[in-house]
Amino acid sequence: MDDDLLPRRTDDPLAALLKQDLDPLSRAELEERIALLTGEVERTRAKLASAGSIMSDADALFSRK
C-alpha cells in the first residue's frame, strides 16, 4: 500500500509546523527556526541515505536486480 495515499493524522506535527503563523516571530526567532529546521533536514537526509544503503545491501544479499 502506498503511504502517500493515506490521509495524514490530524495531530501530524509537520502539518502543524506548516500552519504556524510566522508573523509574530522576531528575526532571531526566525533564524533559530531555520537552524533547527536545517538540522532536521540533515538528519532526515542521513536517514534516507541509510535506508537506501540498507536496501542496496538487501538487494545484493538476495541477488535482486
Side-chain angles (χ1 to χ4, degrees):
M1 177 173 271
D2 191 2
D3 290 341
D4 292 338
L5 300 177
L6 297 175
R8 285 193 179 265
R9 297 182 351 222
T10 56
D11 63 341
D12 179 25
L14 181 58
L17 182 70
L18 295 174
K19 290 179 185 178
Q20 185 181 9
D21 183 11
L22 301 178
D23 287 340
L25 301 178
S26 68
R27 289 184 59 93
E29 290 169 324
L30 290 169
E31 289 172 0
E32 180 182 5
R33 180 184 175 102
I34 289 170
L36 291 170
L37 291 171
T38 300
E40 183 61 15
V41 167
E42 291 170 2
R43 185 176 80 93
T44 304
R45 285 188 174 144
K47 179 64 176 177
L48 183 60
S50 171
S53 166
I54 291 169
M55 281 301 294
S56 296
D57 293 346
D59 287 345
L61 180 64
F62 295 105
S63 299
R64 296 191 321 189
K65 296 180 182 193

